[in-house]
Amino acid sequence: MTQRLTIIGTGYLGATHAACMADLGFEVLGLDVDEERIARLSAGDLPFYEPGLEPMLRRGLASGRLRFTTSYGEAAGFGDVHFLCVGTPQKAGEYAADLTYVDAAVAALAPLLHRPCLVVGKSTVPVGTAARLAAALAGAAPAGGDAVLVWNPEFLREGFAVQDTLHPDRIVAGLPAEQGAADHAEKLLRELYAGMIGAGVPFLTTDLPTAELVKVSANAFLATKISFINAMAEVCEAAHADVTKLSEALAYDDRIGGRFLGPGLGFGGGCLPKDIRAFMARAGELGADQALTFLREVDQINMRRRVRMVDLARQLLGGSFAGRTVGVLGAAFKPNSDDVRDSPALDVAASIRAQGGRVTVYDPKAMGNARRAQPELDFGESALDAAAGAHVVLLLTEWAEFRDMDPAALAGAVAERNIVDGRNALDPERWRAAGWNYRALGRP
Ligand code: UDX
């Protein structure tokens, strides 16, 4: 029998998972407590930018296999499998993750579960959460032990969300301790992901805490890799060496590998920064805080890149931003996304503004979100517009349109030809040949 799926929480993770599972032929009902979001999704209007996702959403709606609701009653009646995809942001003023949304979703759903079903956690949660939720579910669901909780972490990257969902590197299934429930849950998950498993995607079964840890340790490793190369950038700056050459040379060692070894302004976004902080907080609760003290360093190296960027720009302007004009290219935390959560680019723009600079920002997709997050900044209509009259231009998010910019065309717009390449995305020779004073993080 074909399983009917509900997706609880329709942010990046949930909306993508819903559209992809409908595309794979399942009947899918997406649920969110945000009525406006549900109205937009139901109308085929994706509330965020993600390449390839909106056509898939519309295809799902048109097929009749994909629908959205705000009603837990409808979801509980509909679903054989309920995916938990709600957010776990950082708590205000603390490192720990805020589990309000996860707890609220289980509290709302559980009392309505009258028949056997699988609840599949996909949200990124502190280790131990799944076991706690499993107990809450069994206690509150009329179906009792027939409502089974598993953990199936999601590793999708913004900008590649569809591809990562349909062609994941691996599928991790954290199963309950009780053997009968575990066997049943594994069988259901294998059916759901049969196409991917058939195409060779590894399917790993673990216990609940290991599955939760796979996700956060993967993000901790990626963050560490980025901060490692950015620490090398700091040393390169002190030693007058070139971190881009260093990174290129390291990458040929396939034990090291070149991915996530890109030096620059560092990581931001809705995942890496808050996930490493929540991981440290959880390790502390478990008495294992020493094991993760290095992540504090990873976080600090990352945050220092933003300060260094501001310092470099100020230095190019002779020591002060007062009365000077700064053109900022990029606001999203990375290209191909309109997400500005913990964006290094927007953080740098805001600090320069706070230090008295006149800052004009342009981003191909993140203008609406950037305006809402930092309303005191000025915004341009294009890269040329943001650079108009600038004493220094900062490239802070490496969108293709910025990488491909013509230095001569930009030269016509600015007051002074100073550029700082915060992402090591430009060719220094080309910019210098066009008369620019080119500076970058980690390069002489
Ligand atoms: C990340 C993980 O990759 C994904 O597996 C997880 O599920 C969610 O978190 P995402 O936040 O979409 O995904 O972004 P990612 O592509 O990982 O980039 C994170 C940040 O690192 C960006 O700000 C990016 O600019 C920065 N980065 C990445 C670098 O500074 N250097 C690099 O070499 C790579």
Side-chain angles (χ1 to χ4, degrees):
M1 188 192 86
T2 314
Q3 306 295 330
R4 297 204 297 183
L5 319 182
T6 78
I7 314 288
I8 299 170
T10 58
Y12 270 100
L13 168 57
T16 308
H17 194 61
C20 287
M21 293 310 273
D23 219 51
L24 291 175
F26 292 97
E27 275 188 64
V28 178
L29 180 63
L31 178 146
D32 206 293
V33 293
D34 180 339
E35 288 182 9
E36 192 199 326
R37 179 170 280 264
I38 288 302
R40 287 185 65 177
L41 286 166
S42 301
D45 172 16
L46 193 65
F48 51 87
Y49 175 72
E50 181 60 44
L53 188 55
E54 199 168 73
M56 190 181 253
L57 167 71
R58 292 186 177 173
R59 214 157 51 230
L61 292 167
S63 73
R65 285 195 304 275
L66 178 59
R67 293 183 302 115
F68 293 93
T69 184
T70 55
S71 159
Y72 272 99
E74 189 183 353
F78 177 85
D80 305 302
V81 180
H82 304 281
F83 288 96
L84 292 178
C85 297
V86 296
T88 53
Q90 188 175 339
K91 273 189 193 168
E94 279 182 58
Y95 270 13
D98 178 354
L99 296 176
T100 309
Y101 305 114
V102 176
D103 288 336
V106 172
L109 181 68
L112 306 171
L113 298 174
H114 289 276
R115 57 189 170 89
C117 62
L118 200 60
V119 177
V120 183
K122 291 190 87 65
S123 307
T124 302
V125 291
V127 60
T129 305
R132 183 171 65 70
L133 294 177
L137 186 68
D146 287 338
V148 174
L149 183 112
V150 299
W151 217 261
N152 169 220
E154 178 58 58
F155 303 92
L156 65 82
R157 296 162 298 167
E158 292 179 18
F160 299 90
V162 171
Q163 184 192 321
D164 287 352
T165 302
L166 293 177
H167 309 283
D169 292 333
R170 72 305 216 181
I171 297 165
V172 176
L175 302 176
E178 202 270 303
Q179 197 58 49
D183 290 345
H184 171 68
E186 179 178 348
K187 183 170 164 285
L188 280 183
L189 286 171
R190 283 185 179 277
E191 279 171 29
L192 288 179
Y193 294 127
M196 300 172 202
I197 296 169
V201 174
F203 182 90
L204 285 86
T205 58
T206 69
D207 52 25
L208 291 173
T210 305
E212 291 167 306
L213 279 174
V214 173
K215 172 60 193 274
V216 281
S217 54
N219 277 354
F221 189 84
L222 294 171
T224 303
K225 216 174 163 192
I226 298 169
S227 278
F228 173 83
I229 200 64
N230 283 334
M232 295 306 110
E234 287 188 15
V235 178
C236 285
E237 280 157 19
H240 307 288
D242 183 338
V243 73
T244 63
K245 282 287 168 206
L246 176 76
S247 160
E248 189 186 340
L250 289 177
Y252 284 112
D253 183 334
D254 57 17
R255 293 170 304 174
I256 298 175
R259 296 180 70 193
F260 278 70
L261 210 59
L265 198 51
F267 58 82
C271 291
L272 261 41
K274 66 109 176 152
D275 286 352
I276 61 169
R277 291 170 195 154
F279 199 12
M280 284 186 266
R282 184 60 184 143
E285 289 168 7
L286 292 169
D289 39 343
Q290 265 194 325
L292 298 186
T293 43
F294 76 95
L295 286 179
R296 192 174 293 269
E297 207 51 53
V298 166
D299 197 4
Q300 283 173 5
I301 293 165
N302 190 55
M303 298 309 281
R304 279 208 295 277
R305 290 288 77 191
R306 304 180 186 186
V307 177
R308 170 72 184 145
M309 184 73 204
V310 174
D311 288 349
L312 197 55
R314 195 192 313 97
Q315 193 189 319
L316 276 173
L317 296 178
S320 169
F321 288 115
R324 311 303 295 273
T325 300
V326 180
V328 166
L329 304 182
F333 83 103
K334 67 172 188 180
N336 301 314
S337 169
D338 66 355
D339 196 344
V340 300
R341 285 177 294 172
D342 205 342
S343 166
L346 212 49
D347 205 5
V348 166
S351 327
I352 294 177
R353 171 75 176 72
Q355 293 179 38
R358 272 195 306 268
V359 182
T360 308
V361 179
Y362 171 71
D363 188 283
K365 294 285 177 203
M367 298 295 267
N369 288 337
R371 267 203 188 91
R372 277 186 287 278
Q374 297 288 348
E376 77 287 2
L377 294 171
D378 289 326
F379 292 90
E381 299 285 306
S382 64
L384 276 182
D385 192 24
H391 299 105
V392 62
V393 175
L394 311 179
L395 190 156
L396 303 183
T397 312
E398 70 278 31
W399 285 94
E401 76 165 79
F402 301 152
R403 284 177 178 277
D404 300 341
M405 257 174 337
D406 175 7
L410 203 67
V414 296
E416 285 173 32
R417 294 181 197 185
N418 287 313
I419 185 150
V420 189
D421 180 359
R423 294 292 181 180
N424 285 299
L426 305 174
D427 175 2
E429 298 315 316
R430 197 165 158 241
W431 284 75
R432 289 189 177 124
W436 285 81
N437 176 22
Y438 170 94
R439 296 295 303 275
L441 293 173
R443 287 165 114 169

